[in-house]
Amino acid sequence: MPLKVHPDIASLSPYVPGKPVEELERELGIAKAIKLASNENPLGPSPKAVSVLDHAARTLHRYPDGGAHALRAALAQRFKVTPDHVILGNGSDELIGLLARTFLAPGDEAVMASQTFVIYKMEVTAAHGVPVVVPMQDWRHDLPAMARAITNRTKLLFVCNPNNPTGTMVTAPDVEALMAHVPDHTVVVFDEAYYEYVRDQEFPDSLRYVNQNRPVITLRTFSKIYGLAGLRIGYGITTPEMTDYLNRIRPPFNANSMAQAAALAALDDEHHLRASRSLNETERPLVEDGLRRLGLRPVPSQTNFLFFNVGRDGREVFDALLREGVIVRHIEGPMIRVTIGLPEENRRFLAALTSILGR
Ligand SMILES: *Cc1c(COP(=O)(O)O)cnc(C)c1O
């Protein structure tokens, strides 16, 4: 007997994560593959975070603090809100799922950009909602068009800023204009996973809308610049009313104890944060230059990755790079995304791409 699965679930395809280095090495029988596929921090985890793990391991027989009091208090202090504005997730991915299940009744709509974080569509569909996909303009969110796409069934609107996979951002005035049009029945989700990398002065302060008690949530994560992707911890900052609803369906121990301890330590690791940002700011222009020398035009990025058109089947270029031991991300058609790595990794990526495109 075939399983009876709701067509919304059957319509999904499993998320394809970046291939782990060890797997590729085994497949190719090579020793030194590099992964530039998942926007991880090439410097590794915050050393301060690693240093608290031994101690945290001693209480692994206990359930975590389900209220994550210490970490929520630290985040609240950092962002000048009270702890009831803060909710933790098993990665910010989990919070996207909680938002979908909290706000979407079957058939309700969620507005999102056409080339954005793939988890939105997955979670909205899994919650039996309807993704309403708005084309981007020059690889940027078209916020006026997204505002026009709002109907009385629109319960969520996702603004991934800066956007993954394109690396582009929308500005404070862009967002201000959007917020002037958003009705009270639509929750705006600002997904700011790459917030710590942004340098542009025009980047919007989304917490301003939280403080105005608007229905918005700002999502951030310890997976990217803090280098803790393997521990799975992210957070949302939103109104106490919203955290109260999200907490009703949040699994009580979703943020594990090692992750809570490491995140708390990482928050204070200014040195690691600065070194990570600085590496990215030195290396990204070099990778951009290398791509330009190949006649490619990477999209200007506010993040630790670059998005570019290889002018031919991107899947083939992706596969050819794999055979050279370089793991990047094929997005769609001719579009590839590459994470900024260590200097030698970036050189290797450019050398491999040069040889592949020269063939
Ligand atoms: C990486 C990423 C996340 C979150 O990751 P978690 O590891 O689940 O915290 C969220 N949004 C975007 C756009 C990302 O790129």
Side-chain angles (χ1 to χ4, degrees):
M1 280 285 283
L3 293 170
K4 298 266 187 298
V5 173
H6 192 286
D8 288 345
I9 306 299
S11 77
L12 295 168
S13 14
Y15 177 81
V16 183
K19 198 187 271 278
V21 165
E22 296 74 16
E23 194 181 318
L24 182 67
E25 289 174 347
R26 225 178 307 121
E27 279 176 22
L28 295 179
I30 60 170
K32 289 214 171 66
I34 57 174
K35 185 180 176 198
L36 302 173
S38 302
N39 305 336
E40 295 147 338
N41 186 334
L43 291 179
S46 147
K48 281 201 177 184
V50 173
S51 74
V52 299
L53 290 178
D54 262 350
H55 183 76
R58 289 177 212 167
T59 50
L60 279 179
H61 59 302
R62 305 285 182 201
Y63 280 98
D65 172 6
H69 289 93
L71 180 55
R72 281 176 47 242
L75 287 165
Q77 189 180 27
R78 169 72 54 99
F79 297 113
K80 301 187 172 61
V81 293
T82 53
D84 57 354
H85 289 72
V86 182
I87 183 166
L88 296 182
N90 190 261
S92 51
D93 273 2
E94 186 191 31
L95 295 172
I96 296 163
L98 294 185
L99 285 160
R101 284 158 59 210
T102 301
F103 290 102
L104 300 175
D108 280 347
E109 295 163 2
V111 172
M112 63 191 72
S114 50
Q115 282 85 20
T116 191
F117 195 43
V118 293
I119 302 294
Y120 309 149
K121 198 185 249 182
M122 178 182 117
E123 292 291 359
V124 166
T125 306
H128 310 297
V130 179
V132 174
V133 174
V134 177
M136 303 191 100
Q137 276 217 318
D138 300 328
W139 302 116
R140 291 172 73 243
H141 282 60
D142 184 347
L143 293 186
M146 290 175 77
R148 288 193 299 275
I150 295 173
T151 70
N152 56 11
R153 293 215 71 173
T154 306
K155 302 297 163 60
L156 293 173
L157 186 151
F158 290 96
V159 180
C160 187
N161 200 30
N163 186 49
N164 179 7
T166 62
T168 53
M169 68 166 228
V170 289
T171 65
D174 296 340
V175 167
E176 187 65 18
L178 169 76
M179 292 306 294
H181 281 95
V182 172
D184 285 341
H185 68 265
T186 304
V187 171
V188 180
V189 182
F190 291 102
D191 183 348
E192 299 180 347
Y194 302 94
Y195 169 79
E196 297 84 1
Y197 284 108
V198 176
R199 286 304 198 183
D200 196 310
Q201 296 295 315
E202 290 254 86
F203 192 77
D205 172 18
S206 58
L207 297 183
R208 203 162 80 83
Y209 302 105
V210 173
N211 289 318
Q212 290 169 356
N213 213 30
R214 299 284 306 269
V216 308
I217 180 165
T218 298
L219 302 181
R220 296 195 187 146
T221 181
F222 288 96
S223 296
K224 302 289 157 60
I225 207 165
Y226 293 103
L228 300 178
L231 278 176
R232 313 303 305 126
I233 187 151
Y235 58 97
I237 307 218
T238 183
T239 61
E241 187 188 11
M242 180 115 70
T243 54
D244 178 36
Y245 282 120
L246 294 171
N247 274 326
R248 296 178 197 204
I249 60 165
R250 179 178 64 82
F253 305 115
N254 63 330
N256 73 73
S257 49
M258 301 290 267
Q260 288 186 35
L264 189 58
L267 254 194
D268 271 335
D269 198 342
E270 259 313 304
H271 179 76
H272 178 259
L273 194 77
R274 228 175 282 153
S276 306
R277 211 183 261 144
S278 150
L279 172 73
N280 192 56
E281 284 169 14
T282 311
E283 286 295 311
R284 193 178 60 206
L286 299 178
V287 178
E288 283 181 289
D289 282 351
L291 292 172
R292 279 198 213 98
R293 277 198 296 276
L294 293 173
L296 308 176
R297 290 186 300 135
V299 174
S301 170
Q302 294 291 324
T303 63
N304 64 334
F305 57 85
L306 288 166
F307 181 68
F308 56 96
N309 183 329
V310 287
R312 59 174 90 173
D313 184 357
R315 182 86 218 169
E316 279 173 22
V317 174
F318 167 83
D319 285 333
L321 282 167
L322 272 191
R323 288 192 294 272
E324 303 280 337
V326 179
I327 313 171
V328 298
R329 194 74 155 193
H330 175 227
I331 302 298
E332 57 177 33
M335 305 308 296
I336 298 263
R337 188 192 73 194
V338 66
T339 303
I340 305 304
L342 297 171
E344 57 273 24
E345 295 175 328
N346 300 330
R347 300 303 94 79
R348 242 187 89 186
F349 156 71
L350 285 171
L353 188 64
T354 304
S355 111
I356 289 161
L357 294 185
R359 275 172 211 158

